[in-house]
């Protein structure tokens, strides 16, 4: 799994039938140094994450193992909304102080 920040949403009026009702989020991943990487990825949202929230993302074939998703063409899925992240006894993120 990887840590990412929600940067936006993707709206699509035409899509694969099995993706009907799936919300898509634009994500920016966190690098090893604690800074956000310059690239973005689109992921299916399974937890109702919102703008600027930090999330856990499952990628690859593991993303399809979410309930009722094994037949969907998904290779990235948001599986959790993060409350806090710390590294080396340093708080990198706290949802409480974010809002």
């Amino acid at each position: 799994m990887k840590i990412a920040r929600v940067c936006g949403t993707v709206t699509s009026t035409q899509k694969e039938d099995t993706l009907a009702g799936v919300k898509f989020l634009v994500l920016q991943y966190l690098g090893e140094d604690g800074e956000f990487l310059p690239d973005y990825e689109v992921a299916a949202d399974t937890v109702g994450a919102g703008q600027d929230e930090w999330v856990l993302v499952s990628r690859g074939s593991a993303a399809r193992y979410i309930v009722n998703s094994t037949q969907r063409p998904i290779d990235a899925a948001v599986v959790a909304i993060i409350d806090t992240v710390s590294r080396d006894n340093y708080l990198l993120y706290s949802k409480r102080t974010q809002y």
Side-chain angles (χ1 to χ4, degrees), residues 3 7 16 19 21 28 30 41 44-45 48-49 53 56 58 63 68 70 91-92 94 97 99:
I3 295 174
C7 297
E16 158 63 37
L19 296 175
Q28 186 175 22
L30 187 70
E41 183 171 32
D45 180 20
E53 286 188 302
L56 282 179
S58 179
N68 299 324
T70 57
L91 185 64
L92 291 175
S94 172
T97 59
Y99 296 101

Side-chain angles (χ1 to χ4, degrees), residues 2-5 30-31 34 36 53-56 80-97:
K2 295 219 172 219
I3 295 174
R5 176 182 57 166
L30 187 70
F36 285 100
E53 286 188 302
W54 284 31
V55 295
L56 282 179
I81 298 171
I82 295 173
D83 294 319
T84 61
V85 176
S86 60
R87 189 178 96 185
D88 300 326
N89 292 323
Y90 175 74
L91 185 64
L92 291 175
Y93 170 80
S94 172
K95 186 174 181 176
R96 181 180 302 165
T97 59

Side-chain angles (χ1 to χ4, degrees), residues 49-66:
Q51 184 73 27
D52 292 326
E53 286 188 302
W54 284 31
V55 295
L56 282 179
V57 183
S58 179
R59 298 172 73 196
S61 62
R64 286 187 293 276
Y65 283 99
I66 299 161

Side-chain angles (χ1 to χ4, degrees), residues 8-15 22-26 42:
T9 60
V10 174
T11 303
S12 175
T13 56
Q14 297 293 320
K15 55 188 162 188
V22 177
K23 178 181 169 187
F24 293 105
L25 299 174
V26 178
V42 175

